[in-house]
Protein backbone atom coordinates (compact mmCIF):
# COMPACT_ATOMS: atom_id res chain seq x y z
CA UNK A 1 0.00 0.00 0.00
CA UNK A 2 1.27 3.49 -0.85
CA UNK A 3 2.21 5.81 1.95
CA UNK A 4 1.28 9.48 2.06
CA UNK A 5 4.88 10.32 1.22
CA UNK A 6 4.22 8.76 -2.20
CA UNK A 7 1.69 11.51 -2.88
CA UNK A 8 2.55 14.71 -4.71
CA UNK A 9 0.85 18.09 -4.61
CA UNK A 10 -0.25 19.75 -7.84
CA UNK A 11 2.73 22.10 -7.51
CA UNK A 12 5.16 19.18 -7.21
CA UNK A 13 3.67 17.47 -10.27
CA UNK A 14 3.84 20.74 -12.21
CA UNK A 15 7.48 21.27 -11.30
CA UNK A 16 8.44 17.71 -12.21
CA UNK A 17 6.74 17.98 -15.61
CA UNK A 18 7.78 21.54 -16.44
CA UNK A 19 4.24 22.90 -16.65
CA UNK A 20 2.17 25.28 -14.56
CA UNK A 21 -0.18 24.19 -11.79
CA UNK A 22 -3.20 25.22 -13.87
CA UNK A 23 -2.20 22.63 -16.50
CA UNK A 24 -1.94 19.87 -13.89
CA UNK A 25 -5.39 20.75 -12.53
CA UNK A 26 -6.78 20.54 -16.08
CA UNK A 27 -5.18 17.10 -16.49
CA UNK A 28 -6.87 15.96 -13.26
CA UNK A 29 -10.28 17.20 -14.40
CA UNK A 30 -10.22 16.02 -18.04
CA UNK A 31 -13.34 14.13 -19.10
CA UNK A 32 -11.39 11.51 -21.06
CA UNK A 33 -8.64 9.67 -19.15
CA UNK A 34 -7.85 12.22 -16.43
CA UNK A 35 -4.73 12.12 -14.30
CA UNK A 36 -5.85 10.13 -11.23
CA UNK A 37 -5.95 12.37 -8.18
CA UNK A 38 -7.75 12.88 -4.91
CA UNK A 39 -8.41 15.77 -2.56
CA UNK A 40 -7.51 16.17 1.07
CA UNK A 41 -9.43 19.22 2.19
CA UNK A 42 -8.74 21.80 -0.51
CA UNK A 43 -5.44 20.24 -1.61
CA UNK A 44 -5.40 17.95 -4.64
CA UNK A 45 -2.83 15.15 -4.54
CA UNK A 46 -1.50 12.70 -7.10
CA UNK A 47 0.14 9.38 -6.24
CA UNK A 48 3.57 9.05 -7.84
CA UNK A 49 2.70 5.62 -9.23
CA UNK A 50 -0.47 6.98 -10.86
CA UNK A 51 1.50 9.83 -12.46
CA UNK A 52 4.11 7.48 -13.89
CA UNK A 53 1.45 5.11 -15.26
CA UNK A 54 -0.47 8.04 -16.77
CA UNK A 55 2.71 9.36 -18.47
CA UNK A 56 3.65 5.91 -19.83
CA UNK A 57 0.20 5.57 -21.36
CA UNK A 58 0.70 8.84 -23.23
CA UNK A 59 4.16 7.82 -24.40
CA UNK A 60 2.56 4.73 -25.94
CA UNK A 61 0.09 6.79 -27.94
CA UNK A 62 -2.69 7.44 -25.43
CA UNK A 63 -4.70 10.64 -25.38
CA UNK A 64 -3.70 13.92 -23.79
Amino acid sequence: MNSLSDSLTVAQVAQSQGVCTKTVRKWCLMEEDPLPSYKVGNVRRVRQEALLTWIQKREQGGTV
Side-chain angles (χ1 to χ4, degrees):
M1 186 166 153
N2 290 339
S3 69
L4 290 178
S5 63
D6 290 339
S7 297
L8 303 169
T9 64
V10 167
Q12 291 170 318
V13 173
Q15 183 179 14
S16 75
Q17 298 305 303
V19 298
C20 68
T21 56
K22 187 175 180 179
T23 298
V24 175
R25 286 189 190 94
K26 285 182 182 181
W27 290 345
C28 293
L29 300 173
M30 291 188 315
E31 286 187 31
E32 187 177 323
D33 195 26
L35 173 59
S37 65
Y38 62 97
K39 288 184 83 173
V40 177
N42 289 330
V43 179
R44 186 167 297 278
R45 296 201 173 261
V46 177
R47 295 198 188 277
Q48 288 181 5
E49 183 178 327
L51 175 61
L52 294 174
T53 300
W54 190 78
I55 290 169
Q56 286 176 339
K57 186 174 182 179
R58 268 136 198 80
E59 289 175 343
Q60 296 171 358
T63 60
V64 176

